[in-house]
Amino acid sequence: MENYNYYIEHSQKIADIEHSISVLNWDQEVFMPENSAPRRAQQIATLAGIHHELSTDKKFGEVLEKLQHENLTDIQQRNVNESLKAYEKSTKLNGAFVTKMSKTISESFVAWNEARSKSDFSIFAPKLEELVKLKREECKLFGYEDHPYNAQLDLYEPGATVKDLDILFKDVKHQLVEFVAKIASAPQNDEALMFQKYETSKQLAFTEELLTQMGYDFKSGRQDLSTHPFTTTFSPKDVRVTTRVNENDLSEILWSSIHEGGHALYEQGLKDENYGLPAGAYLSLGLHESQSRLYENNVGRSLNYWKHNFKKLQEIFPDNLNNYTTEDFYKAMNIVKPSLIRTNADELTYHFHVLIRYEIEKELIGGTIGVADLPQIWNQKYKEYLGIDVPNDSKGVLQDIHWSHGSFGYFPTYSIGSFYAAQFYNQASKEIDNLEELIKDGNFTPLLDWLREKIHQHGRLFAADELCIKITGEKLNFKYFMDYAKKKYSTLYNLN
């Protein structure tokens, strides 16, 4: 076991550096003073270089090769196989390239933040241009089949390809667009109650109650504010979420907190004894997103969820809500209509936002469009798919943080995750007795236990499609999402 023990020790060192970078990134987005940005970029770049050195260490690679021929358990062999794949990918990038990428990303984030605050894409464009060139180079270094964007997709959803996603988003276009059009032609529900003045501190306190109810462990995490809500993990014992508050729109914090809470439950559900190993890491971003979407949409936007929680909300905001019923609140939170901001979109038109980003990224990485073209193309697609005019860069091409992080290939996982969520929740409903009644009673333990058993505990020991088959008996199937959407919204909008 000497080689395997060395493998564990070295893998945990890599994880220590990776999570140290995450701490600095978290601080950069939550607390860091403005003047710290240049030095912070240098610090993160230095650690990224060390991370790369450890990840590509020759002895580490030799040990991984030797372990291929040793008598290991199935889990140990799976760990080694996944680590060897990561090692081989890492060795395709040299240290200078990794350091340059890290520094460019840090600088890009600062430029994006300024550009977004001033609603001026030209401030961000030069740094984004640098970053896109690096990402195109990265695709060549990694290698790919058919389309360079496949190399980026593989970073977030291993095995996903442009060919597969084109088919998936074709279903979105052909099935979801038609259904949303039916909703648009129906009498619309009232959402005014969401847009009253709700005090920030009370909103935060309420969402902390919701997170605790879900099973989020505040002794192993915390909730803070950031420009763009996110979840970050430093170990299963330290998983942090951020949210966003708008005193004149209650929906922003509700869906941000519940969504990030779903992500955090996944990370807290990984086994701490597997820290640094594939068995202790999330499987894919699509699977990660399935956890946040399941809690946000299948649970958090359900009538039964608010039959338990609406009374608490009324007690906190009596002047705002005492004249409304739970059903009023349920209808208001499930309005389907085109909107400018992806993170504020309803759960159906949300996938049009993802589709737009997928089409743009695919062409941008493929080199058929340039950075300078992005605002115009973005605005055109919003008009085409959502029928709305984009008033400025801040509410348009600058609204997402992802490109400033170099996270090309990330966006499709949001839709993949929603479709997984519907399929998983359908299966959970079959296997957990009276799941809807449990939710109505505020008892989320059986659902979390089910997710821990079926998904969280396995880490990266299965491929995503392999795990989906293990849980539901089939690969990802868009049908479950459409069945869920039709059942829910046909009732909400009296389409039957």
Side-chain angles (χ1 to χ4, degrees), residues 349-362:
T349 62
Y350 181 88
H351 300 291
F352 304 159
H353 293 259
V354 177
L355 170 62
I356 288 168
R357 288 153 177 78
Y358 167 66
E359 291 185 344
I360 288 175
E361 286 192 351
K362 183 173 63 173

Side-chain angles (χ1 to χ4, degrees), residues 360-494:
I360 288 175
E361 286 192 351
K362 183 173 63 173
E363 299 301 322
L364 186 64
I365 297 299
T368 53
I369 62 174
V371 168
D373 305 319
L374 291 181
Q376 181 185 356
I377 293 171
W378 181 285
N379 295 351
Q380 287 174 346
K381 286 184 178 292
Y382 263 75
K383 187 68 173 177
E384 177 185 354
Y385 288 119
L386 289 158
I388 54 181
D389 296 310
V390 178
N392 55 54
D393 290 345
S394 181
K395 292 183 177 180
V397 71
L398 290 172
Q399 68 176 268
D400 293 301
I401 199 172
H402 301 63
W403 290 344
S404 74
H405 282 174
S407 300
F408 297 93
Y410 194 122
F411 282 116
T413 66
Y414 287 127
S415 285
I416 291 170
S418 293
F419 306 152
Y420 271 131
Q423 194 162 332
F424 293 153
Y425 190 80
N426 176 75
Q427 191 66 29
S429 299
K430 294 177 182 177
E431 297 184 16
I432 300 173
D433 291 337
N434 301 313
L435 176 57
E436 292 299 323
E437 288 300 312
L438 291 169
I439 290 172
K440 189 163 67 175
D441 292 339
N443 182 1
F444 296 92
T445 302
L447 176 59
L448 181 56
D449 289 346
W450 188 88
L451 293 168
R452 293 272 197 256
E453 177 194 349
K454 301 291 184 178
I455 298 172
H456 303 173
Q457 68 162 328
H458 298 300
R460 201 170 287 172
L461 296 180
F462 299 96
D465 57 353
E466 185 181 6
L467 185 62
C468 189
I469 293 170
K470 185 178 174 67
I471 296 169
T472 69
E474 59 182 307
K475 290 184 178 181
L476 178 62
N477 189 339
F478 183 69
K479 168 188 179 295
Y480 291 98
F481 180 81
M482 278 308 305
D483 287 349
Y484 155 76
K486 286 180 177 178
K487 180 181 178 181
K488 177 177 178 178
Y489 287 95
S490 292
T491 302
L492 272 164
Y493 282 87
N494 296 314

Side-chain angles (χ1 to χ4, degrees), residues 67-300:
L67 285 169
Q68 293 290 303
H69 309 289
E70 293 191 11
N71 186 24
L72 303 175
T73 67
D74 288 344
I75 290 177
Q76 289 172 340
Q77 191 63 62
R78 203 80 182 234
N79 274 329
V80 171
N81 290 345
E82 288 299 310
S83 293
L84 185 58
K85 286 180 191 174
Y87 175 81
E88 290 172 344
K89 180 165 282 197
S90 295
T91 54
K92 292 179 179 179
L93 308 179
N94 62 49
F97 180 85
V98 171
T99 301
K100 184 177 181 182
M101 177 73 82
S102 175
K103 192 168 187 297
T104 303
I105 286 172
S106 293
E107 292 169 348
S108 294
F109 169 74
V110 173
W112 168 79
N113 226 0
E114 181 186 355
R116 188 174 183 273
S117 67
K118 296 178 179 178
S119 195
D120 184 355
F121 181 73
S122 67
I123 296 172
F124 180 45
K127 282 299 171 187
L128 182 59
E129 187 77 57
E130 288 181 41
L131 199 48
V132 169
K133 287 179 182 177
L134 285 172
K135 298 306 283 189
R136 288 172 180 164
E137 184 180 348
E138 184 181 65
C139 293
K140 292 177 182 177
L141 292 170
F142 282 148
Y144 58 85
E145 292 183 8
D146 300 327
H147 198 291
Y149 190 53
N150 287 341
Q152 295 299 307
L153 290 171
D154 196 63
L155 295 172
Y156 305 104
E157 196 64 22
T161 66
V162 166
K163 182 179 179 181
D164 292 336
L165 291 182
D166 281 347
I167 294 171
L168 186 65
F169 282 112
K170 185 177 180 181
D171 285 338
V172 172
K173 287 182 182 180
H174 290 183
Q175 297 183 49
L176 199 55
V177 169
E178 181 182 346
F179 184 60
V180 169
K182 286 184 180 179
I183 293 173
S185 64
Q188 295 302 299
N189 295 320
D190 184 15
E191 60 178 335
L193 66 88
M194 303 298 290
F195 301 103
Q196 304 177 76
K197 185 174 177 60
Y198 294 92
E199 186 182 324
T200 292
S201 61
K202 291 181 179 180
Q203 289 190 54
L204 284 166
F206 178 67
T207 55
E208 287 180 5
E209 282 190 44
L210 295 183
L211 288 169
T212 300
Q213 182 188 86
M214 290 165 60
Y216 178 70
D217 181 6
F218 272 96
K219 290 184 178 179
S220 299
R222 55 184 289 137
Q223 177 175 254
D224 293 283
L225 295 174
S226 66
T227 303
H228 188 104
F230 67 96
T231 300
T232 191
T233 180
F234 313 136
S235 79
K237 301 299 183 184
D238 190 351
V239 182
R240 307 183 188 189
V241 298
T242 70
T243 191
R244 182 166 60 201
V245 181
N246 182 339
E247 286 206 328
N248 299 306
D249 183 357
L250 184 60
S251 61
E252 284 213 19
I253 194 171
L254 288 180
W255 312 132
S256 294
S257 292
I258 296 172
H259 178 99
E260 299 307 332
H263 281 305
L265 290 177
Y266 187 5
E267 293 289 346
Q268 290 186 339
L270 297 169
K271 293 183 177 180
D272 192 51
E273 62 262 33
N274 292 326
Y275 173 79
L277 305 177
Y282 70 86
L283 175 50
S284 74
L285 281 182
L287 258 294
H288 223 312
E289 191 65 15
S290 76
Q291 303 307 282
S292 59
R293 287 291 164 188
L294 186 149
Y295 276 101
E296 178 189 353
N297 294 332
N298 302 88
V299 176

